[in-house]
Amino acid sequence: MASKSGFIAIIGKPNVGKSTLINALIGEKIAITSPKVQTTRFRITGILNEGENQFVFIDTPGMHKPYHGLGKSMDKSATDALMDADAIMWVVDQTYRRTDEIILERIKHSHLPVILVINKIDTLENKAEIDKIIISFLKVHEFKHIVPISAKDQTHLTQLKETLVEYLVEGPHYYPDDYVTDQTDESRMTEIIRERILYYTEQEVPHSVAVMLESFKFNEELNTMDIDALIIVERDSQKGILIGKNGEKLKRIGTEARKEINKIFDMKIHLSLWVKVKKDWRNDPTTVSRYGYGK
Ligand SMILES: Nc1nc2c(ncn2[C@@H]2O[C@H](COP(=O)(O)OP(=O)(O)O)[C@@H](O)[C@H]2O)c(=O)[nH]1
Ligand SMILES: [Mg+2]
């Protein structure tokens, strides 16, 4: 068998389960997920090696009309992902709506083969509901395949992968076979911290947060890692919310993040979190790129 590989872009509206799907396919937390919209801020690559095949999945921020500097960079990275792809997975969780138009336009413009992935079938009552979704999308585009799945329950993922093999191309693999992502360790760590913050905050706070590593020291002898991370928010009130009464919320975020980081890096981890206010950082292009977005 010859070696094959390919780039598969995952696109779809916010919250349909794109990041959950990439994690389920890879079997490890590559992309953070949450019930909040705009969880994914930049393009994330998940690499799956199966025998001769290498699938490079590109998780993208949901496409939307951008309102601020960070939003513009998020929208651009979703659009760029399509330029490099061999095929597109369009993930949906309900019937076709007017709000799907932006995505529809872009997939048509790309001329790439599109696989329609109907996610969250665990929440549907019966097969007729799946059919209803399928019919609504068949009216707008000629899909190569339609695969109903549940990313959460890992239903029909094997079938999905078998479908995708068709779009891999013969040639050397893009990444070494032991890679699961092209993200740096630093980025995976700050993203996990941000994921915990998303779970414990509401309304505008999740969107106003950025996380940066201040320092990160690995001690080989003791097999320990000391991480100092900085959480940036836009207002003093948000800082108070994050820290919580007697510092309890920040402590909980830190404990849970440390456990998640531990699943990826098998060593003793000390994590210290600091909160800093930087007014209106999302509209400042230098800051947006310094915090790791829009590169
Ligand atoms: N019931 C159900 N929930 C799901 C499924 N996949 C994802 N979710 C949930 O949908 C929400 C958004 O998921 P996420 O992967 O962050 O969506 P994204 O914005 O498209 O990347 C999270 O709360 C997930 O737990 C699924 O197959 N079934
Ligand atoms: Mg996401």
Side-chain angles (χ1 to χ4, degrees):
M1 251 190 351
S3 137
K4 281 182 173 185
S5 54
F7 281 83
I8 318 279
I10 306 179
I11 66 166
K13 281 201 254 193
N15 253 348
V16 293
K18 298 178 295 296
S19 298
T20 307
L21 173 59
I22 208 165
N23 292 340
L25 287 165
I26 309 296
E28 197 176 303
K29 193 187 287 290
I30 301 295
I32 64 167
T33 67
S34 95
K36 311 235 155 74
V37 296
Q38 301 179 24
T39 299
T40 308
R41 285 182 176 168
F42 51 88
R43 146 194 183 140
I44 289 169
T45 302
I47 302 155
L48 176 66
N49 294 291
E50 283 194 339
E52 294 295 311
N53 298 329
Q54 180 170 76
F55 303 84
V56 183
F57 296 107
I58 304 163
D59 184 15
T60 58
M63 288 177 178
H64 61 287
K65 292 227 169 71
Y67 296 109
H68 46 66
L70 175 61
K72 285 207 182 80
S73 128
M74 287 163 62
D75 189 60
K76 183 173 185 311
S77 64
T79 310
D80 287 353
L82 297 191
M83 304 207 313
D84 306 325
D86 296 296
I88 296 172
M89 279 202 274
W90 184 1
V91 183
V92 303
D93 63 356
Q94 56 180 17
T95 51
Y96 182 81
R97 308 277 153 103
R98 279 283 303 274
T99 47
D100 288 306
E101 253 170 35
I102 305 180
I103 295 173
L104 184 67
E105 254 170 50
R106 293 196 191 167
I107 63 157
K108 287 198 185 291
H109 186 72
S110 77
H111 300 290
L112 290 167
V114 183
I115 295 106
L116 182 69
V117 177
I118 299 167
N119 190 27
K120 307 194 187 180
I121 58 166
D122 57 290
T123 63
L124 301 177
E125 297 279 320
N126 49 48
K127 208 181 152 293
E129 286 195 54
I130 302 180
D131 290 342
K132 221 165 105 187
I133 298 175
I134 294 177
I135 290 163
S136 73
F137 277 92
L138 279 179
K139 285 182 188 150
V140 298
H141 191 73
E142 216 171 287
F143 294 96
K144 291 287 177 188
H145 302 270
I146 296 177
V147 190
I149 64 156
S150 165
K152 186 175 134 252
D153 295 347
Q154 317 222 343
T155 315
H156 299 162
L157 295 190
T158 311
Q159 197 180 319
L160 178 60
K161 283 186 276 185
E162 279 165 8
T163 305
L164 295 172
V165 170
E166 205 177 301
Y167 302 98
L168 301 184
V169 280
E170 263 184 45
H173 290 175
Y174 292 105
Y175 295 96
D177 283 0
D178 58 347
Y179 271 41
V180 291
T181 180
D182 67 352
Q183 280 177 97
T184 60
D185 290 346
E186 286 90 333
S187 166
R188 293 182 79 183
M189 288 190 254
T190 55
E191 280 289 279
I192 285 172
I193 296 166
R194 198 165 62 82
E195 181 183 57
R196 286 301 104 198
I197 295 168
L198 295 183
Y199 272 95
Y200 287 112
T201 57
E202 296 298 331
Q203 287 151 18
E204 91 285 2
V205 182
H207 305 302
S208 305
V209 162
V211 182
M212 268 174 91
L213 285 196
E214 282 263 279
S215 74
F216 143 79
K217 284 185 220 96
F218 174 53
N219 185 320
E220 208 165 344
E221 227 161 87
L222 301 170
N223 196 35
T224 59
M225 186 152 58
D226 283 292
I227 308 167
D228 284 328
L230 192 61
I231 300 169
I232 296 107
V233 290
E234 292 186 309
R235 277 197 288 279
D236 291 326
S237 59
Q238 297 171 339
K239 179 173 174 174
I241 292 169
L242 255 184
I243 293 174
K245 209 173 155 210
N246 302 323
E248 270 168 28
K249 193 179 277 173
L250 191 64
K251 208 167 172 187
R252 186 179 308 160
I253 289 168
T255 307
E256 291 186 10
R258 177 173 49 76
K259 285 184 187 152
E260 281 292 324
I261 293 171
N262 235 171
K263 288 185 193 161
I264 302 178
F265 305 96
D266 188 22
M267 58 190 71
K268 191 159 170 59
I269 286 162
H270 306 287
L271 174 64
S272 312
L273 299 178
W274 312 89
V275 186
K276 197 175 122 181
V277 180
K278 169 120 177 102
K279 297 216 160 59
D280 210 24
W281 69 266
R282 283 184 295 170
N283 271 319
D284 175 3
T286 358
T287 314
V288 167
S289 81
R290 237 188 81 224
Y291 294 169
Y293 307 112
K295 271 177 289 193

